[in-house]
Amino acid sequence: MYDAEKVWRTSEGAGVTVAVIDSGVDANHPDLAGQVLPGKDFTGEGSPHQDNDGHGTGMASLIAGHGHGANDSSGVMGLAPKTKVLPVRIWSTKDTLKPGNWAEGVRYAVEQGASVINLSLNDSAAYPGSKVAKAIEYAQANDVVVVAGTGNDAGTVNYPAALPGVVAVSAVDRGLNFWSKSNTGNVTVAAPGVETPQADPTSRSGYVVADGTSGSTAYISAIVALLRSKYPDLSAGQIINRLIKSAAFVNNEGKKAPDKQLGYGIARPGTALTMDIPKGPKEGPLAQSSPSTSTNSGAGSEDNDSTDQAKEKKDSSFGNLFLIAGIAAVAIVIAILFVVIRSRRNGRNGDPGPGGGIPPQGTGYPPQSPTGHQPYPSSAPNQGYPTPPGQSPQQYNPYAQQPPNQGQ
């Protein structure tokens, strides 16, 4: 058995910059204070620290959130809490999305020293040979690990995740099984992505809970950040090799890698950081990958984050660019989660919904199904980021029912 404290004894992601190419990142959120770099806004409508949707802030909190309050006992704790986040704002509202026009943002991230790029989005215009694809190739040529979500419409892996060399991430549910809405095909690894918490400046409480491969992607980016901090001499390809070699089909016996749903398995940060794994070639195991045929990345696809959000988000396809809204739970990959939220995401307006509460210690996967409506008051102090009374970090061991080596 291991927990986050043990993982962080090995690496907390210090010295690594992860570019979050998204809707911006709220640098004033208490869980991200001090972690967000200046960044750049490519929309022409504001600041990279302005997030009208909350999606980018959510991804950043999963990667580098450090909680807040006494002993950081409140808020969301990310998997790589000492990693710096570079906000690259490429959209603010559906009216400002420009499919295929965010290639400059990728190149900017590389030039600013990001060694990991998080793409929690789908874009049909990011096909092989496109401007975006060439920008991603530029990033890869400059030793950057590019991580992208497979998509949430139960189809095949979308672009840019389907591009060669990109770490394509699917999601697993609380039972450690493949999440049925994740897209399949040329998947690299899987990570948690169901009923998971994130910071969200658009919510009255400052937090939401959501489903989707966006969160899975953020957690893989965080694991890569941990690895890049621990092994600064390894190339991007060798980091990906360590990520893949340490993954496992936990609770999914009988699967063979690469599996079209889980790829090489569920990522395990503790194992990735400590397992004796040969470096392998600098190009890494994905160097010879070829793009998958993406039949679900064209205009008209829907961003299906969760069943109860479908009605609220019927207009969220945004042309050809589809955000993979949602977030993944850290407990599956690090066996610990700091959760103080009960709001549930209802569409993109950030309105709090039924609360989920915090399950008893030792129950395995983190936030349980909603137990009642317990929204936080919008008038709470701390600029909309209240600290719920009586809440404190709780540890979870998702591998408790597995053989000991499954969780190492």
Side-chain angles (χ1 to χ4, degrees):
M1 173 179 172
Y2 72 92
D3 59 27
E5 296 297 336
K6 292 182 180 179
V7 171
W8 293 334
R9 287 173 195 164
T10 304
S11 176
E12 294 182 81
V16 176
T17 296
V18 177
V20 176
I21 298 181
D22 214 292
S23 60
V25 176
D26 181 5
N28 292 321
H29 195 288
D31 295 347
L32 288 167
Q35 299 305 109
V36 185
L37 298 172
K40 187 172 182 178
D41 172 66
F42 285 88
T43 69
E45 298 183 3
S47 162
H49 295 166
Q50 179 181 345
D51 187 359
N52 299 332
D53 180 84
H55 190 268
T57 302
M59 301 304 101
S61 69
L62 293 183
I63 295 168
H66 51 57
H68 68 277
N71 299 318
D72 295 327
S73 59
S74 300
V76 174
M77 198 78 171
L79 180 50
K82 289 190 177 179
T83 293
K84 295 296 184 179
V85 172
L86 178 71
V88 181
R89 190 173 187 238
I90 61 170
W91 65 280
S92 58
T93 68
K94 64 180 181 180
D95 297 326
T96 63
L97 291 174
K98 297 179 180 179
N101 283 5
W102 45 278
E104 187 178 353
V106 174
R107 293 180 180 275
Y108 167 79
V110 176
E111 293 163 359
Q112 294 302 305
S115 60
V116 186
I117 292 179
N118 185 85
L119 300 174
S120 292
L121 54 83
N122 292 158
D123 185 359
S124 63
Y127 55 83
S130 66
K131 290 183 179 179
V132 169
K134 291 180 180 178
I136 289 176
E137 290 174 2
Y138 171 74
Q140 294 167 334
N142 281 275
D143 202 42
V144 176
V145 178
V146 180
V147 186
T150 61
N152 300 334
D153 53 23
T156 56
V157 177
N158 286 324
Y159 294 120
L163 290 172
V166 174
V167 178
V169 187
S170 64
V172 292
D173 63 19
R174 65 173 61 205
L176 308 188
N177 297 308
F178 175 74
W179 184 52
S180 62
K181 293 184 180 180
S182 287
N183 290 21
T184 62
N186 195 17
V187 177
T188 307
V189 290
V194 177
E195 290 188 343
T196 54
Q198 68 181 22
D200 188 328
T202 70
S203 168
R204 290 196 294 270
S205 70
Y207 301 94
V208 295
V209 176
D211 304 334
T213 58
S214 275
S216 308
T217 303
Y219 275 110
I220 294 300
S221 290
I223 294 175
V224 172
L226 295 175
L227 291 171
R228 302 225 79 164
S229 178
K230 172 64 176 178
Y231 301 102
D233 295 331
L234 293 186
S235 68
Q238 290 168 334
I239 290 292
I240 294 173
N241 179 62
R242 181 166 280 274
L243 175 71
I244 288 176
K245 294 293 179 60
S246 60
F249 294 118
V250 180
N251 202 32
N252 288 273
E253 295 78 5
K255 286 184 175 294
K256 296 181 180 180
D259 178 72
K260 69 176 184 178
Q261 296 180 334
L262 302 178
Y264 291 87
I266 299 171
R268 301 183 296 169
T271 308
L273 287 166
T274 61
M275 186 176 178
D276 184 9
I277 301 174
K279 291 183 179 180
K282 290 185 177 181
E283 295 77 12
L286 302 183
Q288 301 302 317
S289 298
S290 59
S292 301
T293 299
S294 180
T295 60
N296 293 290
S297 58
S301 296
E302 286 294 328
D303 177 9
N304 299 319
D305 292 351
S306 62
T307 302
D308 60 346
Q309 295 172 23
K311 293 182 180 179
E312 295 283 343
K313 307 188 71 167
K314 60 185 178 181
D315 295 324
S316 65
S317 57
F318 305 151
N320 290 328
L321 181 61
F322 311 108
L323 297 180
I324 312 171
I327 204 67
V330 65
I332 289 182
V333 290
I334 61 172
I336 186 171
L337 177 66
F338 294 83
V339 188
V340 297
I341 60 178
R342 293 177 184 170
S343 297
R344 182 171 182 80
R345 193 184 195 97
N346 283 334
R348 295 196 184 278
N349 57 13
D351 291 336
I358 297 182
Q361 184 171 348
T363 55
Y365 194 94
Q368 295 179 330
S369 300
T371 55
H373 185 72
Q374 300 173 338
Y376 299 141
S378 59
S379 60
N382 203 15
Q383 298 182 353
Y385 304 113
T387 300
Q391 301 296 336
S392 62
Q394 296 199 25
Q395 292 188 356
Y396 303 92
N397 179 20
Y399 304 114
Q401 297 180 353
Q402 303 296 329
N405 65 349
Q406 292 293 324
Q408 301 302 317

PDB file of all heavy atoms in Angstrom, residues 1 19 28 39 56 64 92 124 128 155 242 247 262 319:
ATOM      1  N   MET A   1       0.841  -1.190   0.000  1.00  0.00           N
ATOM      2  CA  MET A   1       0.000   0.000   0.000  1.00  0.00           C
ATOM      3  C   MET A   1       0.885   1.253   0.000  1.00  0.00           C
ATOM      4  O   MET A   1       1.914   1.307   0.644  1.00  0.00           O
ATOM      5  CB  MET A   1      -0.905   0.001   1.231  1.00  0.00           C
ATOM      6  CG  MET A   1      -1.705   1.270   1.405  1.00  0.00           C
ATOM      7  SD  MET A   1      -2.777   1.171   2.860  1.00  0.00           S
ATOM      8  CE  MET A   1      -3.380   2.846   2.920  1.00  0.00           C
ATOM      9  N   ALA A  19       2.120  23.172 -19.528  1.00  0.00           N
ATOM     10  CA  ALA A  19       1.269  24.128 -20.239  1.00  0.00           C
ATOM     11  C   ALA A  19      -0.151  23.578 -20.309  1.00  0.00           C
ATOM     12  O   ALA A  19      -0.359  22.457 -20.762  1.00  0.00           O
ATOM     13  CB  ALA A  19       1.802  24.376 -21.640  1.00  0.00           C
ATOM     14  N   ASN A  28      -5.930  33.400  -9.132  1.00  0.00           N
ATOM     15  CA  ASN A  28      -6.338  33.861  -7.811  1.00  0.00           C
ATOM     16  C   ASN A  28      -7.059  32.785  -7.002  1.00  0.00           C
ATOM     17  O   ASN A  28      -7.355  33.002  -5.828  1.00  0.00           O
ATOM     18  CB  ASN A  28      -7.247  35.085  -7.933  1.00  0.00           C
ATOM     19  CG  ASN A  28      -6.505  36.300  -8.457  1.00  0.00           C
ATOM     20  OD1 ASN A  28      -5.357  36.541  -8.096  1.00  0.00           O
ATOM     21  ND2 ASN A  28      -7.158  37.066  -9.321  1.00  0.00           N
ATOM     22  N   GLY A  39       1.850  33.314 -18.582  1.00  0.00           N
ATOM     23  CA  GLY A  39       1.108  32.752 -19.709  1.00  0.00           C
ATOM     24  C   GLY A  39       0.751  33.769 -20.767  1.00  0.00           C
ATOM     25  O   GLY A  39       1.256  34.895 -20.780  1.00  0.00           O
ATOM     26  N   GLY A  56     -10.243  25.253 -17.735  1.00  0.00           N
ATOM     27  CA  GLY A  56      -8.801  25.331 -17.630  1.00  0.00           C
ATOM     28  C   GLY A  56      -8.326  25.352 -16.189  1.00  0.00           C
ATOM     29  O   GLY A  56      -7.322  24.714 -15.832  1.00  0.00           O
ATOM     30  N   ALA A  64      -1.644  20.809 -10.400  1.00  0.00           N
ATOM     31  CA  ALA A  64      -0.769  21.513  -9.459  1.00  0.00           C
ATOM     32  C   ALA A  64      -1.487  22.144  -8.281  1.00  0.00           C
ATOM     33  O   ALA A  64      -0.901  22.969  -7.572  1.00  0.00           O
ATOM     34  CB  ALA A  64       0.018  22.588 -10.209  1.00  0.00           C
ATOM     35  N   SER A  92     -12.549  31.474 -24.860  1.00  0.00           N
ATOM     36  CA  SER A  92     -13.217  31.986 -23.665  1.00  0.00           C
ATOM     37  C   SER A  92     -14.689  31.587 -23.656  1.00  0.00           C
ATOM     38  O   SER A  92     -15.233  31.199 -22.637  1.00  0.00           O
ATOM     39  CB  SER A  92     -13.085  33.508 -23.577  1.00  0.00           C
ATOM     40  OG  SER A  92     -13.624  34.132 -24.733  1.00  0.00           O
ATOM     41  N   SER A 124     -11.189  18.409 -34.655  1.00  0.00           N
ATOM     42  CA  SER A 124     -11.094  17.698 -35.922  1.00  0.00           C
ATOM     43  C   SER A 124     -10.108  18.355 -36.873  1.00  0.00           C
ATOM     44  O   SER A 124      -9.598  17.719 -37.800  1.00  0.00           O
ATOM     45  CB  SER A 124     -12.475  17.626 -36.590  1.00  0.00           C
ATOM     46  OG  SER A 124     -12.943  18.934 -36.898  1.00  0.00           O
ATOM     47  N   PRO A 128      -3.511  14.983 -39.212  1.00  0.00           N
ATOM     48  CA  PRO A 128      -2.119  14.928 -39.664  1.00  0.00           C
ATOM     49  C   PRO A 128      -1.852  15.905 -40.805  1.00  0.00           C
ATOM     50  O   PRO A 128      -2.632  15.991 -41.753  1.00  0.00           O
ATOM     51  CB  PRO A 128      -1.962  13.471 -40.127  1.00  0.00           C
ATOM     52  CG  PRO A 128      -2.939  12.722 -39.280  1.00  0.00           C
ATOM     53  CD  PRO A 128      -4.127  13.639 -39.156  1.00  0.00           C
ATOM     54  N   GLY A 155     -16.830   6.967 -29.174  1.00  0.00           N
ATOM     55  CA  GLY A 155     -16.413   6.655 -30.532  1.00  0.00           C
ATOM     56  C   GLY A 155     -14.946   6.247 -30.565  1.00  0.00           C
ATOM     57  O   GLY A 155     -14.450   5.621 -29.631  1.00  0.00           O
ATOM     58  N   ARG A 242       8.571   4.961 -19.440  1.00  0.00           N
ATOM     59  CA  ARG A 242       8.409   4.665 -18.017  1.00  0.00           C
ATOM     60  C   ARG A 242       6.925   4.697 -17.635  1.00  0.00           C
ATOM     61  O   ARG A 242       6.470   3.871 -16.839  1.00  0.00           O
ATOM     62  CB  ARG A 242       9.222   5.674 -17.196  1.00  0.00           C
ATOM     63  CG  ARG A 242       9.162   5.467 -15.697  1.00  0.00           C
ATOM     64  CD  ARG A 242      10.235   6.266 -14.990  1.00  0.00           C
ATOM     65  NE  ARG A 242      11.525   5.584 -15.057  1.00  0.00           N
ATOM     66  CZ  ARG A 242      11.914   4.661 -14.196  1.00  0.00           C
ATOM     67  NH1 ARG A 242      11.117   4.290 -13.200  1.00  0.00           N
ATOM     68  NH2 ARG A 242      13.090   4.091 -14.315  1.00  0.00           N
ATOM     69  N   ALA A 247       2.352   0.985 -16.075  1.00  0.00           N
ATOM     70  CA  ALA A 247       0.893   0.881 -16.047  1.00  0.00           C
ATOM     71  C   ALA A 247       0.477  -0.571 -15.884  1.00  0.00           C
ATOM     72  O   ALA A 247       1.241  -1.493 -16.180  1.00  0.00           O
ATOM     73  CB  ALA A 247       0.308   1.466 -17.324  1.00  0.00           C
ATOM     74  N   LEU A 262      -8.025   0.594 -22.671  1.00  0.00           N
ATOM     75  CA  LEU A 262      -7.127   1.044 -21.618  1.00  0.00           C
ATOM     76  C   LEU A 262      -5.675   1.184 -22.069  1.00  0.00           C
ATOM     77  O   LEU A 262      -4.816   1.532 -21.264  1.00  0.00           O
ATOM     78  CB  LEU A 262      -7.193   0.083 -20.428  1.00  0.00           C
ATOM     79  CG  LEU A 262      -8.562  -0.113 -19.778  1.00  0.00           C
ATOM     80  CD1 LEU A 262      -8.461  -1.129 -18.651  1.00  0.00           C
ATOM     81  CD2 LEU A 262      -9.111   1.209 -19.256  1.00  0.00           C
ATOM     82  N   GLY A 319     -18.762  24.106 -32.764  1.00  0.00           N
ATOM     83  CA  GLY A 319     -18.219  23.888 -34.096  1.00  0.00           C
ATOM     84  C   GLY A 319     -17.386  22.630 -34.159  1.00  0.00           C
ATOM     85  O   GLY A 319     -17.840  21.571 -33.818  1.00  0.00           O
TER      86      GLY A 319
END
